[in-house]
Every structure is written in structure tokens, then in C-alpha cells.
Amino acid sequence: MSAPETAALVKEYRENGFAVAERLFDPNEVAELNAAITEILDVADIGSVAEVEPGDNGMARRIWSPTKQHRAFERAAANPRLLDQVEALIGPDILFHYSKLHLKAPQVGSVVDWHQDFAYYPHTNTDLVTALVYLDDTTTENSALQAVPGSHSRGLADHYVDGFFRGKVAGADAPDPSLAVAIEAPAGSVIFIHPLLLHYSSPNRSDRYRRAFLPAYRAADAYPIHFGAHAGHNEAGVRVLRGSASDTARVEAGAWRLPLAERPFGSLFQLQEGAETASAATGYATLEEAK
């Protein structure tokens, strides 16, 4: 991207809490990533490499840490064109935080309720950013990401339900859906998401996939303030991608409620759905563990 295009992206991100870089990845790169998905899922037991859709053990809805499962995703997360934009947003010292891959299958695609990423991973400051890479042409019909522009400037919303962290903003606290905009873009486009942006995605009711690769980054001086099991297990994979590490934690004023769940769970989906059957899940700290 040119310098003026990057400046416009930064302005959009600061004002709206998200910004779109269309076709940052070219068609060959997108094809390589989609082929990598096929390779990862080419196993006898899909549940061994992915989380499956409820009631369908043959349909994956999320691939865990794709950067650890295929070199194509590791390369994509460190793509210089991508990191140039991340640097413009959070500074020159960039840490890789974690990655995930959401697979919104045709006529399926689990819903993701309203939430802010920061609720799951509170840090000493908010210079964290997720890069959602569309791997399919994406419109409202096949579940484009929905977000409330400017919601990142309102602080951290309440993600507790009935006294426990549920990873979603529900009930009277949920945003008015009429305020949301659908972020439509062609395959290869990247949506940069501020950690305090309120966003969600609906089920995929179309006959097309909506696959999205999500590498997440943080400034080197943004340190986690909570080490529940889920948040803590990511730390082993945190590494410097650009610049250098920091021996200083930069702290923003504020109060961040910790993600203390009722029971262990394995993913955002399980948590928002109730995590009723999470026997072997690796989840966030529960209230019992925190006592």
C-alpha cells in the first residue's frame, strides 16, 4: 500500500475501530491458504485438528492455531505487507499473539455473538490488533463481519451473564443491531480490528463458504494482566515479528474486568453457547480457580 493509503487506513481505524485493506493478499496467496485448509482437514478425525459444528463431527467450524498447523499460515502472519499496516496501527515493535481460523460453512456457520476481543485478553494497554483475512469473497449473505463504528472509544463493555464471564455482550447491554455495519470485501482483503470494537457475525445462510484467517498482534510493551488457562497457553507462542521486545509495560488508565468463567471451555463458541459439554477443554480461569 502507498503512504497515502496507509495514512487513510490509520485514520479509519482511529475513528471507527476497524479499517479495511482490500486485496492485501493476492489471488495466489489466497489460493495457497485455502489449499492449506484442505490439507489440515485431510485427516480421519477432523475433531483432532479442529472444533466441529454442533451435531456434525464432519464439519469444522474453527481450526486451532493454524500458524502451528501449516507453514502457509505462519508465512501469511509474518507477511511484510501485512506487518507494514500493523506497524502503522500499533507501532514498530510487534509481537505475534495468537491465530485462529473460522470456517463459516454454507448453510451452517455458527453465530458469533456481540463481543470485544479485549474482554478475553486484557492487557496493560490496548495496542493490540487482529487482522481478519477474508479467504472468500464476503458479503452480508455469507456472513460478513458486523461492527458498530466508533464503539471502541466507549471502553470495555460487560461480558458477564448471571455472574460469570460468558464472552458476549447480552441483553440490555447489547448494541442496537441497526447501528451495525456489514464489512463486505473481496477475498484477500484484511479487516484490522481494534480490541475494543464491538462486533459479531451471523450464521452463513448462503451456498458459499466464508473462511477467515485471524492472526492477532500486540505492541511489545502491551503485557497480559490475566493468565487464565486459555490466555496463558498462548504466551508460549508469543514472539517478536518486527522491532524488538520490551522490558517495560506501558499501562493505560482504566479498570479491566477479568474473564473468569463458570466452567472450563475450549473456544469462544463454547463459551457463548454455554460450554455445557467442555470436559476436556482448555479454557479461561474459572471463578473457583481464582479463589
Side-chain angles (χ1 to χ4, degrees), residues 2 9 14 17 38-39 42 48 56 61 65-67 70 75 91 103 106 130 152 170 189 194 206 222 227 238 281:
S2 67
L9 182 137
R14 300 284 182 246
T38 300
E39 290 182 30
D42 186 19
S48 67
D56 188 346
R61 66 176 175 182
S65 300
T67 50
H70 201 289
R75 289 192 297 270
L103 307 169
T130 297
H152 68 300
S189 300
H194 190 282
S206 77
F227 284 90
V238 171

Side-chain angles (χ1 to χ4, degrees), residues 192-209:
F192 295 95
I193 304 171
H194 190 282
L196 290 175
L197 178 73
L198 282 163
H199 59 286
Y200 86 101
S201 64
S202 62
N204 181 1
R205 302 304 187 194
S206 77
D207 60 359
R208 297 179 290 124
Y209 260 97

Side-chain angles (χ1 to χ4, degrees), residues 78-259:
N79 184 298
R81 298 191 308 276
L82 178 59
L83 293 185
D84 285 347
Q85 310 314 310
V86 172
E87 178 174 346
L89 297 174
I90 65 172
D93 299 318
I94 302 170
L95 301 183
F96 172 81
H97 189 190
Y98 65 90
S99 70
K100 56 188 175 181
L101 182 59
H102 286 175
L103 307 169
K104 292 266 192 176
Q107 301 299 325
V108 190
S110 295
V111 65
V112 176
D113 287 316
W114 285 110
H115 69 284
Q116 297 163 301
D117 294 340
F118 198 77
Y120 290 79
Y121 300 102
H123 280 63
T124 58
N125 65 64
T126 55
D127 274 337
L128 296 85
V129 62
T130 297
L132 187 153
V133 185
Y134 281 148
L135 300 180
D136 299 284
D137 293 338
T138 301
T139 63
T140 303
E141 285 69 31
N142 67 329
S143 191
L145 187 75
Q146 305 260 349
V148 177
S151 56
H152 68 300
S153 63
R154 303 170 196 165
L156 185 61
D158 186 4
H159 288 66
Y160 272 57
V161 178
D162 296 329
F164 297 100
F165 180 71
R166 298 290 188 187
K168 60 183 177 181
V169 183
D173 291 330
D176 181 347
S178 68
L179 300 177
V181 298
I183 308 175
E184 301 179 319
S189 300
V190 181
I191 305 170
F192 295 95
I193 304 171
H194 190 282
L196 290 175
L197 178 73
L198 282 163
H199 59 286
Y200 86 101
S201 64
S202 62
N204 181 1
R205 302 304 187 194
S206 77
D207 60 359
R208 297 179 290 124
Y209 260 97
R210 195 229 72 177
R211 293 163 288 194
F213 170 49
L214 294 90
Y217 310 89
R218 71 191 198 216
D221 59 4
Y223 277 82
I225 60 174
H226 176 63
F227 284 90
H230 191 91
H233 89 268
N234 284 324
E235 291 305 300
V238 171
R239 62 188 184 277
V240 176
L241 288 182
R242 182 171 287 187
S244 58
S246 174
D247 61 2
T248 302
R250 179 167 47 87
V251 181
E252 292 179 9
W256 312 125
R257 196 171 188 184
L258 301 180

